[in-house]
Amino acid sequence: MAALAYSLGKREINQHFTIKNAKLISLVLVILLIVFHTTSRYYGGEDSCEWLLSRGRYLGENVWQPYGCMMHKYKTLEAKTCLAEKRVAFVGDSRIRQLFYSFIKIIDTEQREDGNKHEDISFQEESSSVRVDFLWYPEANNSMKERLISWTHEASKPDVVILGAATWSIKLHGGSRETLQQYKINLTAIAVHLERLADYGEVYWVLQDPVNEEVLSENRKMITNQQLELYNEAATDVLNSNGRSRVKLLAASRQAALETITQSDDGLHLPESTRNVGAMVLMNSLCNKLLRPIDGSCCQILPPPNLLQKLSACFFLGSALVFLALHVLGNNRYRRPVPPDVESLEEMKPATAAVPLGPKAPFQALCRMGMIMGYFYLCDRADVFMKEQKFYTHSTFFIPLTYIFVLGVFYNENSKETKLLNREQTDEWKGWMQLVILIYHISGASAFLPVYMHVRVLVAAYLFQTGYGHFSFFWLKGDFGLYRVCHVLFRLNFLVLVLCVVMDRPYQFYYFVPLVTFWFVIIYTSLAMWPQILQKKANSSAIWHLVVLVKLLGLLLFICFFAFSQGFFESIFSVWPISKLFELNGSIHEWWFRWKLDRFAVIHGMLFAFIYLVLQKCQVLSEAKGEALFSAKISSLLLFLSVVFFITYSIWASSCKTKTECNEMHPYISVVQILAFILIRNVPGYARSMYSSFFAWFGKISLELFICQYHIWLAADTKGILVLIPGNPSLNIMISTFIFVCVAHEISLITNDLAQVVIPKDTVALLKRLGALGLLSLVVLLLTVDSQPIPGA
């Protein structure tokens, strides 16, 4: 009865929630979200600078998250670069002195709080000529006003002024109403001169932080939170009365202090972690416009589209116009074949052979791609949607992980094939690995070393599958034709190449695609070169098996030579125009790191495929439905050893001390856990006969999921998280994930449609198109070439 209900439940879900309906819903959601964010951004009167200075929340205990934007954590060198030859002045009481010390500690981490109380303090950094002064003015009175007036008449005015005062006025005058009125009058007079200083630099007024009234000493008991709120309201009314004041109100540290003031030693002065929030907020407000850190979206002005981005927009717009013209003219001679019946969790193959695509089809595909690229641009290159930084906790990683594995088990099906690593099983494998990697990225789980190392194994497993799959194809099919090569390369690289142009990022930025492309070329070259050995040929003589092993040995020596010759590696990949494919920020270090980390995974996959196919041909394996892969004793032994090695690797990964230490060992031992998983998954007959259609569905679009996450699920080039629904993190993840998956699936269909048009089966036509592509690539390279000399030229 339970099994019947389980089956009916799945059928009911699949019947009503199809992928077509899901895409329509996601399209409506995107339109509504764009309208909402555009309206709130441009008509609500707020920008990310105001968000940074005024609102936020804590992620965990010490990580401050401004509302709607990402705050960069500035380091010493960055601070010196930003503030070079600038003069910064902090004016106020002991709380402003605290902020002063936190600020200069960003510039010089060795700086100590050893200045005298109630006196001026000066700090100067010689190498960058940064000068930061603290001036003791505990009250907003005539003395403070005179100091500001003198600055307005000086030739060398401060570039940045940060002021704040109130507690001393409350303390000295008992919190009287007359004192508050006088505070307003003084602040009104001061505001005039602050506006004049704002003509020459940045001016900030720091709102008063709360106090812990229970801990205050007797001579400070009159400083209550109610009094401080009155003074903050007065400051806000005076300095922002018309909404046009250029004096910025710093309220973020006050909001942070609401949660941490109980940690204060004396009830008045903030704990160090909280005042560091205020200092870092100031640094972001001052420096983000200048340095433009990718993970500092607050207060940052986005650059306008470059030439290639404009040309790509024109291209997609032109494709849309052509499609519209063909549609209006009724050019329906060749209809696009009915797509496979792709449901939410099942893909049914069409009963008839595919019909050639009509003339409208490629333009329709490009039109859809253009709309999707517009969404990409709005998410990560335009000032429309919000962004937030990642923050890792065990719950943010392991709870979603539990959810997806429950879903994976729910959608459990009988496999059509029972061979080792059959298509359904490899799709399932890719699917759950991709989902784990997605959760790993959005949760920031790389901060937790054991999770980092296990995800490294998943990446190695992808490359293992690359070696296994391509070796098996060439060994069994023997198709080394140009059409096959171009089709694989197009399928791997189409989306990334479009994103390189639209998002203005180098090819190596999407590191996994260059990696699998490189290894595909290496696999093809090693197997296609003389002598080409296929299974049919090897069956005629055992000597050919030895030749294959010699080829694999040669490939292993090639890998080892490059791995232990970093200088030679860099000299090869630094030559123009190859460098354009593998450089990131002017260096190929990232490519070297990624290549070296999983350098043996592909050859492990090739060797495994060779051994498996030979054993299969010799009929050593039992791959019938329900049967164990080997005899009972051998199967039991292999299962036991696999579980032991699987757990052993996990223990080692959990005991590793540093990423550097772990990464050194990873290339040599990652294959242990990969092989252990394969045996656990395939040795028992019942395990080989089942698969999760849920994971397999995601496995079919795993490449698109991996690439799309960079800009429409994560944000700021994977440094942060895209925020479509502000104020509700759980709902935001649900909505953004839903749209993200629909977009990835649609791109997969578009890629397949365009591959049929772009890559003809006729060799002559294909060579002509490759020549045209080469010419176009040369033009693009020349348009993007740096003014610096080309390396190796």
Side-chain angles (χ1 to χ4, degrees):
M1 200 68 183
L4 178 62
Y6 168 81
S7 179
L8 289 174
K10 287 193 295 183
R11 188 177 300 174
E12 190 74 13
I13 294 172
N14 292 346
Q15 182 178 354
H16 293 96
F17 192 69
T18 63
I19 189 64
K20 182 178 180 181
N21 291 340
K23 288 177 182 176
L24 288 175
I25 294 171
S26 69
L27 179 60
V28 173
L29 283 173
V30 167
I31 293 170
L32 292 176
L33 288 167
I34 291 173
V35 171
F36 167 75
H37 281 273
T38 304
T39 303
S40 62
R41 181 67 66 93
Y42 294 104
Y43 297 99
E46 289 188 335
D47 59 20
S48 60
C49 279
E50 293 180 50
W51 295 340
L52 170 69
L53 295 170
S54 62
R55 287 189 277 172
R57 70 183 193 277
Y58 271 108
L59 302 175
E61 295 183 359
N62 297 320
V63 179
W64 182 251
Q65 170 59 66
Y67 175 79
C69 62
M70 297 169 61
M71 187 169 76
H72 179 66
K73 188 175 182 180
Y74 277 90
K75 297 179 181 177
T76 298
L77 183 60
E78 294 171 314
K80 290 179 182 179
T81 302
C82 168
L83 300 173
E85 300 182 2
K86 287 184 179 179
R87 180 184 174 193
V88 182
F90 286 80
V91 181
D93 55 16
S94 58
R95 291 171 132 189
I96 296 297
R97 184 177 65 234
Q98 275 193 313
L99 186 61
F100 159 78
Y101 276 121
S102 293
F103 189 84
I104 62 175
K105 282 180 181 179
I106 300 174
I107 304 169
D108 181 5
T109 55
E110 302 298 322
Q111 188 67 32
R112 295 183 179 181
E113 300 181 22
D114 53 3
N116 295 324
K117 294 181 178 180
H118 305 173
E119 291 184 7
D120 297 347
I121 305 170
S122 183
F123 166 81
Q124 190 154 357
E125 206 287 318
E126 299 292 340
S127 62
S128 56
S129 301
V130 179
R131 178 181 171 185
V132 187
D133 296 311
F134 167 72
L135 305 177
W136 173 255
Y137 288 94
E139 292 190 83
N141 53 18
N142 284 331
S143 297
M144 182 182 285
K145 184 178 74 172
E146 292 299 324
R147 174 73 270 180
L148 299 177
I149 291 172
S150 67
W151 275 340
T152 59
H153 293 105
E154 289 179 9
S156 177
K157 300 174 177 62
D159 299 285
V160 184
V161 179
I162 300 103
L163 311 91
T167 55
W168 274 75
S169 297
I170 299 171
K171 176 182 174 181
L172 294 176
H173 304 283
S176 67
R177 188 173 299 177
E178 294 77 11
T179 305
L180 178 60
Q181 289 300 117
Q182 187 61 47
Y183 182 82
K184 288 182 180 179
I185 294 169
N186 292 342
L187 205 54
T188 302
I190 287 171
V192 176
H193 306 291
L194 292 179
E195 289 290 339
R196 291 176 182 170
L197 287 173
D199 290 334
Y200 304 97
E202 304 272 354
V203 179
Y204 299 86
W205 183 269
V206 183
L207 295 183
Q208 292 301 301
D209 302 319
V211 295
N212 186 358
E213 296 178 17
E214 297 178 0
V215 185
L216 289 174
S217 59
E218 286 301 320
N219 65 337
R220 291 173 175 168
K221 285 293 185 182
M222 67 290 297
I223 307 174
T224 65
N225 287 318
Q226 183 180 4
Q227 284 284 327
L228 292 172
E229 281 303 308
L230 292 173
Y231 277 75
N232 282 337
E233 288 174 9
T236 304
D237 290 342
V238 171
L239 298 174
N240 199 27
S241 57
N242 56 8
R244 297 180 181 178
S245 174
R246 288 172 296 169
V247 179
K248 300 174 181 178
L249 298 176
L250 176 57
S253 58
R254 169 180 167 271
Q255 190 168 358
L258 289 171
E259 299 184 36
T260 62
I261 190 61
T262 54
Q263 302 170 21
S264 170
D265 293 332
D266 60 6
L268 178 69
H269 298 99
L270 300 179
E272 186 175 6
S273 62
T274 309
R275 49 190 170 115
N276 289 345
V277 168
M280 199 58 71
V281 165
L282 278 173
M283 195 67 74
N284 274 259
S285 180
L286 293 169
C287 299
N288 283 2
K289 298 174 187 175
L290 177 65
L291 301 185
R292 292 183 175 178
I294 193 64
D295 61 342
S297 63
C298 299
C299 222
Q300 189 172 153
I301 299 172
L302 296 171
N306 61 26
L307 176 61
L308 284 177
Q309 289 173 312
K310 292 176 181 177
L311 289 175
S312 66
C314 291
F315 174 77
F316 285 123
L317 182 60
S319 300
L321 293 174
V322 172
F323 167 70
L324 185 62
L326 290 173
H327 184 74
V328 171
L329 293 173
N331 193 333
N332 293 317
R333 182 179 177 184
Y334 295 102
R335 292 183 180 273
R336 186 172 181 266
V338 179
D341 181 16
V342 182
E343 297 185 351
S344 61
L345 299 172
E346 295 181 5
E347 293 198 17
M348 304 298 293
K349 294 182 180 179
T352 57
V355 187
L357 297 179
K360 278 199 327 183
F363 295 104
Q364 183 182 19
L366 289 171
C367 180
R368 286 149 51 206
M369 192 69 178
M371 293 174 62
I372 290 171
M373 287 300 108
Y375 178 62
F376 270 76
Y377 191 89
L378 290 176
C379 285
D380 214 15
R381 290 295 178 270
D383 196 18
V384 175
F385 298 117
M386 299 176 181
K387 302 175 178 69
E388 289 187 352
Q389 52 226 35
K390 302 175 187 178
F391 178 73
Y392 175 75
T393 62
H394 292 325
S395 60
T396 58
F397 177 76
F398 289 104
I399 290 177
L401 202 64
T402 304
Y403 287 163
I404 65 161
F405 275 98
V406 169
L407 283 171
V409 172
F410 179 73
Y411 287 97
N412 203 28
E413 308 285 349
N414 289 319
S415 181
K416 296 173 185 176
E417 293 185 71
T418 57
K419 292 182 179 180
L420 183 143
L421 289 181
N422 58 69
R423 181 58 183 270
E424 290 165 332
Q425 189 184 133
T426 53
D427 282 340
E428 174 201 86
W429 192 8
K430 287 189 291 185
W432 71 256
M433 287 196 302
Q434 185 56 63
L435 291 175
V436 172
I437 289 172
L438 291 175
I439 295 171
Y440 165 82
H441 281 155
I442 202 163
S443 64
S446 60
F448 186 45
L449 191 55
V451 173
Y452 168 82
M453 288 311 301
H454 282 85
V455 170
R456 289 262 53 87
V457 174
L458 299 188
V459 176
Y462 266 103
L463 294 172
F464 181 94
Q465 282 197 47
T466 297
Y468 174 85
H470 289 305
F471 181 92
S472 299
F473 177 86
F474 291 127
W475 176 259
L476 296 173
K477 302 290 185 182
D479 183 2
F480 294 98
L482 188 60
Y483 173 79
R484 158 75 182 175
V485 174
C486 292
H487 198 278
V488 172
L489 292 177
F490 183 87
R491 178 74 177 80
L492 288 174
N493 291 276
F494 169 69
L495 174 58
V496 162
L497 292 177
V498 173
L499 287 176
C500 287
V501 175
V502 173
M503 306 304 288
D504 189 26
R505 283 295 172 263
Y507 180 64
Q508 182 58 36
F509 176 74
Y510 308 93
Y511 74 91
F512 188 71
V513 171
L515 202 57
V516 292
T517 301
F518 171 83
W519 283 116
F520 169 73
V521 173
I522 294 298
I523 294 167
Y524 175 81
T525 304
S526 60
L527 296 179
M529 69 168 53
W530 183 89
Q532 287 185 9
I533 306 166
L534 313 179
Q535 189 182 58
K536 293 179 181 178
K537 189 174 185 179
N539 290 339
S540 63
S541 175
I543 192 67
W544 294 115
H545 292 100
L546 294 176
V547 176
V548 171
L549 291 175
V550 169
K551 279 194 172 189
L552 292 177
L553 178 61
L555 179 57
L556 178 63
L557 293 175
F558 165 82
I559 293 168
C560 292
F561 175 75
F562 270 92
F564 295 105
S565 306
Q566 183 177 354
F568 182 70
F569 183 96
E570 291 181 352
S571 65
I572 292 294
F573 290 101
S574 297
V575 177
W576 192 90
I578 298 174
S579 60
K580 283 293 180 182
L581 296 176
F582 298 104
E583 280 185 354
L584 189 64
N585 300 324
S587 169
I588 66 161
H589 176 75
E590 179 71 10
W591 167 237
W592 161 254
F593 170 75
R594 297 290 181 183
W595 180 89
K596 187 179 180 183
L597 196 59
D598 294 303
R599 58 188 181 273
F600 298 124
V602 169
I603 197 169
H604 286 151
M606 295 173 70
L607 183 60
F608 180 83
F610 174 71
I611 294 171
Y612 163 65
L613 292 171
V614 171
L615 292 177
Q616 185 187 57
K617 190 66 180 176
C618 296
Q619 299 182 346
V620 175
L621 308 176
S622 301
E623 295 183 301
K625 189 170 184 178
E627 291 186 8
L629 204 60
F630 301 96
S631 65
K633 288 184 178 180
I634 295 177
S635 295
S636 299
L637 178 62
L638 286 175
L639 273 177
F640 173 76
L641 291 175
S642 298
V643 170
V644 168
F645 281 119
F646 193 94
I647 295 173
T648 301
Y649 179 89
S650 295
I651 294 172
W652 172 82
S654 301
S655 62
C656 229
K657 295 181 180 178
T658 66
K659 284 186 179 180
T660 303
E661 176 187 325
C662 293
N663 287 338
E664 284 297 320
M665 291 295 296
H666 170 77
Y668 304 100
I669 63 174
S670 59
V671 68
V672 172
Q673 197 164 46
I674 295 170
L675 292 177
F677 169 78
I678 292 173
L679 292 175
I680 293 169
R681 183 69 179 81
N682 286 274
V683 168
Y686 61 86
R688 209 170 57 252
S689 302
M690 304 290 290
Y691 82 105
S692 169
S693 56
F694 176 80
F695 291 140
W697 189 88
F698 284 98
K700 289 179 171 63
I701 57 170
S702 59
L703 182 67
E704 287 76 16
L705 288 171
F706 188 87
I707 300 166
C708 290
Q709 66 165 325
Y710 278 67
H711 303 295
I712 64 170
W713 198 51
L714 303 175
D717 295 344
T718 76
K719 302 295 184 182
I721 299 171
L722 179 67
V723 178
L724 301 178
I725 309 293
N728 194 327
S730 299
L731 182 60
N732 176 67
I733 287 294
M734 292 170 62
I735 297 296
S736 65
T737 301
F738 177 71
I739 296 170
F740 158 60
V741 172
C742 290
V743 167
H745 188 277
E746 184 64 17
I747 290 176
S748 177
L749 296 180
I750 291 170
T751 304
N752 291 332
D753 285 349
L754 291 176
Q756 295 182 52
V757 178
V758 174
I759 307 171
K761 292 188 177 180
D762 180 68
T763 305
V764 175
L766 181 55
L767 287 172
K768 289 180 180 179
R769 293 191 183 184
L770 288 175
L773 177 64
L775 184 61
L776 177 63
S777 302
L778 181 61
V779 171
V780 171
L781 283 172
L782 292 175
L783 285 173
T784 57
V785 70
D786 299 328
S787 57
Q788 299 175 355
I790 300 168

